[in-house]
Amino acid sequence: MYLVADISVEICAAKSCKLCTQYCPEANTIQYSDEMGKDQGFKYGSAYVAVDRCKGCAQCVWVCDNMAKNNAIKMIMIDQLPKVALTENITYGEKSTTAVLASPVVG
Ligand code: SF4
Ligand code: SF4
């Protein structure tokens, strides 16, 4: 078991600053979806984490808390996440990505 970043769609989709996507040191780990917030009735899309790529460094938490001042990201044990984005379930568009959420990888 290990910690991964989890983004609150409710908080992120109200702000949608996209700042964390520029600071994660792991390529293609924090993604952005135009649909993820809007399909839940929020104003904007939301950032989300491909948990199988997340190394648990918590840099994104610092960026969201201290630079963006939005407090939308928490570190959570991977087996406590109900459904997550996995790299193999993400499709890439021109401006946004779409993830089909699945049970997390554990172990
Ligand atoms: S920094 Fe926070 S509010 Fe901004 S896109 Fe990332 S998770 Fe959303
Ligand atoms: S914890 Fe580190 S590796 Fe994981 S999404 Fe945040 S910045 Fe990226």
Side-chain angles (χ1 to χ4, degrees):
M1 287 328 136
Y2 51 94
L3 289 165
V4 292
D6 183 48
I7 297 175
S8 164
V9 173
E10 186 175 2
I11 299 172
C12 183
K15 308 285 185 178
S16 201
C17 66
K18 302 185 184 177
L19 207 55
C20 59
T21 65
Q22 300 172 41
Y23 285 89
C24 174
E26 299 296 329
N28 299 325
T29 302
I30 299 189
Q31 312 275 359
Y32 186 84
S33 168
D34 282 332
E35 292 79 32
M36 192 167 275
K38 288 179 183 167
D39 65 8
Q40 295 180 39
F42 297 111
K43 187 173 180 183
Y44 303 110
S46 177
Y48 64 95
V49 176
V51 295
D52 52 331
R53 301 185 66 83
C54 176
K55 301 298 186 289
C57 69
Q59 203 159 305
C60 56
V61 176
W62 192 92
V63 168
C64 191
D65 288 356
N66 297 290
M67 292 175 70
K69 311 277 187 202
N70 290 331
N71 304 303
I73 312 179
K74 301 275 182 271
M75 301 306 293
I76 294 183
M77 293 298 279
I78 193 168
D79 64 336
Q80 292 175 15
L81 297 166
K83 293 278 182 181
V84 298
L86 301 173
T87 301
E88 65 182 5
N89 294 332
I90 296 172
T91 54
Y92 291 84
E94 258 182 50
K95 295 180 182 168
S96 182
T97 65
T98 306
V100 175
L101 302 184
S103 296
V105 185
V106 294

